[in-house]
Amino acid sequence: MNKIRAAITAVGGYVPPDVLTNADLEKMVDTTDEWITTRTGIKERHILKGEGKGVTEMMYHAVSQMLEKNNIDPLEIDFILCSTITGDMIFPASANILADKIGAKNAWGFDLAAACSGFLYGLEVASKMVESGKYKKVLLVGGDKMSSIIDYTDRNTCIIFGDGVGCVMLEPNEEGYGVQDSILHSDGSGRLYLHQKAGGSMKPPTHETIDAREHYVYQEGKTVFKFAVTKMADVTHNVLSRNYMTGDDVDWLVAHQANLRIIDATAQRINLPEDKVLVNIDRYGNTTNGTLPLLLSDFESKFKKGDNLLLSTFGGGFTWGSIWLKWAYDPK
Ligand code: UT7
């Protein structure tokens, strides 16, 4: 019997309609379109507005659209994994809420938190469940409502992040397509440089924590940048070299969209020409868990059966890694 691999068989994506441009931010903090564009590559990001709307609102839209487009009955889904750091509530898991919203009555699931590497970590976990042979239709969703934890008076962070969600369906494949290899890392000592100070069990919410603006993302950008630029490039190179591959063998680099300069450094490390590097950071900013699946959804029509995709991330934790997969279908 051939080895069972986990192949992506469908993708979906959703960003909310409201747009926050660099020109809008110029009116909110001391920044310029020129600074943001040259330092990050971002021009605009989408923001989820509306009372009572959390991340599962966007997950619902992304997944429903994918199910409809691909004629998938939600009752066929066995398992749902939601990678997010901005779940609707601390508990229950957004996977439970999403299952209810889409009518996936036969699925169980949970959330996974690994900051910007959450979708990549989720792909590793979900693909192992498919490879086990027990789960036939696994829904992996990644995304965040970053606007719920961003301080729009802090120019160091508010220019970077946006809201958005993407999703993929994973199914068993015995023809050699799907996830081929992965290298994942984490280093908790990096927590000092990128975190949310209050709201967890170490520092539950109080009037003081709110007054001190401790429920927002805190980032020492320069330090994070230095780690990101080397670690993401290294791990991407390593997953290739241990499979005796070079950049010539790669069709698409699907890299976390945190900063265009970090993406470029990763591409250069494996000698990849610009036309193989997928970029949508200009339109969405950093959607944290949403960046990789939104790339897959935006560029789905370019992928051909057998294409080698390299997915790479770096994020809070620190967390980082790279996964090599063979695309399983031609444009639909
Ligand atoms: O996705 C999770 C992982 N996160 C990342 O990978 C993000 C990594 N970090 C970055 O992308 C970059 O560090 C930032 C985009 C956050 C910042 O860019 P930078 O080139 O590292 O800028 P910097 O923090 O070194 O600041 C350079 C200057 C400073 O001024 P001085 O001290 O040189 O006078 C900042 O105060 O730019 C200033 N600055 C700004 N100026 C205009 C910082 N933010 C802004 C701003 N507009 N928004």
Side-chain angles (χ1 to χ4, degrees), residues 30-31 35 39-40 116 155-156 159-160 194 219 221-222 224-225 228 256 258-259 261-262 286 314-315:
D30 181 15
T31 192
W35 192 95
R39 295 287 180 135
T40 70
C116 294
R155 71 174 183 175
N156 291 301
I159 56 129
I160 303 169
L194 181 50
Q219 176 171 250
K222 205 173 243 174
V224 178
F225 184 92
H256 176 51
N259 188 315
R261 290 182 289 148
I262 300 173
N286 181 352
F314 184 89

Side-chain angles (χ1 to χ4, degrees), residues 27-306:
K27 293 178 207 137
M28 296 158 67
V29 290
D30 181 15
T31 192
T32 59
D33 172 46
E34 203 262 330
W35 192 95
I36 302 172
T37 306
T38 54
R39 295 287 180 135
T40 70
I42 302 167
K43 294 303 262 181
E44 59 186 37
R45 42 321 273 128
H46 290 248
I47 304 292
L48 179 64
K49 292 193 176 161
E51 197 73 16
K53 289 184 179 174
V55 73
T56 67
E57 171 78 15
M58 295 186 287
M59 290 177 169
Y60 170 76
H61 287 296
V63 174
S64 312
Q65 170 246 75
M66 178 182 81
L67 297 181
E68 200 173 314
K69 186 174 150 197
N70 294 277
N71 272 320
I72 303 168
D73 183 342
L75 296 174
E76 291 172 39
I77 302 169
D78 303 309
F79 174 71
I80 302 177
L81 184 56
C82 289
S83 299
T84 184
I85 55 164
T86 52
D88 279 12
M89 302 179 189
I90 300 283
F91 74 91
S94 291
N96 301 133
I97 301 172
L98 179 66
D100 181 46
K101 286 187 174 180
I102 61 170
K105 290 188 188 304
N106 296 319
W108 67 284
F110 58 85
D111 293 358
L112 183 157
C116 294
S117 299
F119 184 82
L120 197 83
Y121 277 29
L123 184 56
E124 174 80 352
V125 173
S127 65
K128 294 300 159 207
M129 295 185 73
V130 172
E131 286 169 21
S132 77
K134 184 169 179 184
Y135 298 97
K136 311 288 184 208
K137 269 205 167 54
V138 168
L139 171 62
L140 172 61
V141 189
D144 278 290
K145 183 185 172 186
M146 291 306 291
S147 61
S148 65
I149 53 167
I150 290 300
D151 181 353
Y152 286 96
T153 67
D154 176 11
R155 71 174 183 175
N156 291 301
T157 49
C158 74
I159 56 129
I160 303 169
F161 294 98
D163 300 340
V165 162
C167 56
V168 300
M169 190 63 78
L170 289 161
E171 294 184 63
N173 184 292
E174 294 186 45
E175 295 167 357
Y177 301 105
V179 173
Q180 307 289 315
D181 195 15
S182 59
I183 302 178
L184 303 168
H185 295 286
S186 75
D187 176 358
S189 67
R191 69 187 181 281
L192 300 175
Y193 311 107
L194 181 50
H195 58 253
Q196 205 176 323
K197 292 189 187 303
S201 58
M202 195 174 83
K203 212 176 196 189
T206 62
H207 288 293
E208 287 72 29
T209 61
I210 289 169
D211 290 344
R213 310 183 84 75
E214 289 180 341
H215 295 270
Y216 295 123
V217 170
Y218 168 85
Q219 176 171 250
E220 289 179 29
K222 205 173 243 174
T223 310
V224 178
F225 184 92
K226 274 187 204 151
F227 275 94
V229 91
T230 50
K231 298 291 189 192
M232 197 164 94
D234 282 352
V235 74
T236 306
H237 176 265
N238 292 346
V239 90
L240 277 186
S241 64
R242 85 168 181 189
N243 287 287
Y244 309 102
M245 293 163 75
T246 69
D248 291 343
D249 303 302
V250 176
D251 294 290
W252 306 105
L253 176 65
V254 185
H256 176 51
Q257 307 281 296
N259 188 315
L260 192 56
R261 290 182 289 148
I262 300 173
I263 302 166
D264 287 345
T266 301
Q268 276 164 22
R269 180 72 196 281
I270 57 169
N271 293 319
L272 212 59
E274 221 175 271
D275 59 349
K276 292 182 172 184
V277 183
L278 303 184
V279 174
N280 58 12
I281 192 173
D282 50 326
R283 290 179 288 134
Y284 305 147
N286 181 352
T287 55
T288 305
N289 282 283
T291 60
L292 299 192
L294 276 170
L295 284 172
L296 296 177
S297 160
D298 280 1
F299 293 95
E300 181 191 20
S301 63
K302 286 185 177 287
F303 305 149
K304 293 190 300 297
K305 195 170 181 174

